[in-house]
Amino acid sequence: MEIHESAENYLEAILALSEKGSVRSIDVAQHLGFSKPSVSRAMSLLRDNGYVTMDENSFLILTPAGREIAETIYERHRLLTQWLTWLGVPPEIAAEDACKIEHDLSPETFQALKDHIGKHPQLNQG
């Protein structure tokens, strides 16, 4: 299943924010630094495509398809940030760069990176 990078970012944000509690569109807007109308439009598209639902309290809920995408991107983000930080990149820059890289890596390259990190315990310190 192929979706746009922007949709992946929205789904990843919902997942990350949901670790702290219920998520509304305004939370996503603040997290990503986007306007509320832009996020509302994106949430409408994500709902129409079956990635997100909204409950009676206007809380956003990832569907299984949305959660799968969000977890994949979030895992990539965390691992890439950890790896870049280990290489000596300042944490803030590592997180920004990971956000740029996470969408473009092939599954094969990401798996190779995961395998490499798994073989080097010092990389798992993050």
Side-chain angles (χ1 to χ4, degrees):
M1 136 187 17
E2 188 163 328
I3 65 170
H4 293 278
E5 181 178 326
S6 60
E8 290 176 344
N9 285 334
Y10 282 114
L11 295 171
E12 179 186 12
I14 294 167
L15 179 65
L17 290 167
S18 69
E19 291 179 351
K20 298 174 186 169
S22 299
V23 180
R24 291 192 172 149
S25 292
I26 190 66
D27 302 317
V28 176
Q30 291 172 344
H31 179 79
L32 295 174
F34 296 158
S35 71
K36 175 75 167 85
S38 294
V39 173
S40 293
R41 175 72 179 131
M43 292 306 110
S44 176
L45 292 171
L46 290 172
R47 282 194 314 271
D48 291 348
N49 287 292
Y51 297 118
V52 174
T53 61
M54 189 178 286
D55 71 11
E56 64 279 353
N57 295 312
S58 298
F59 291 120
L60 300 169
I61 301 160
L62 294 169
T63 65
R67 178 167 290 283
E68 181 180 346
I69 293 166
E71 287 175 348
T72 297
I73 296 300
Y74 196 43
E75 176 189 26
R76 286 173 171 230
H77 182 85
R78 288 189 323 255
L79 188 127
L80 289 165
T81 300
Q82 172 188 344
W83 180 60
L84 292 169
T85 302
W86 182 83
L87 290 174
V89 178
E92 186 174 296
I93 294 171
E96 289 174 18
D97 288 345
C99 200
K100 296 171 191 169
I101 298 168
E102 66 196 20
H103 305 281
D104 294 324
L105 280 179
S106 69
E108 296 82 6
T109 298
F110 184 68
Q111 187 59 52
L113 183 58
K114 277 177 64 172
D115 293 346
H116 175 76
I117 288 172
K119 293 176 187 173
H120 296 83
Q122 71 274 20
L123 292 176
N124 289 315
Q125 309 293 318

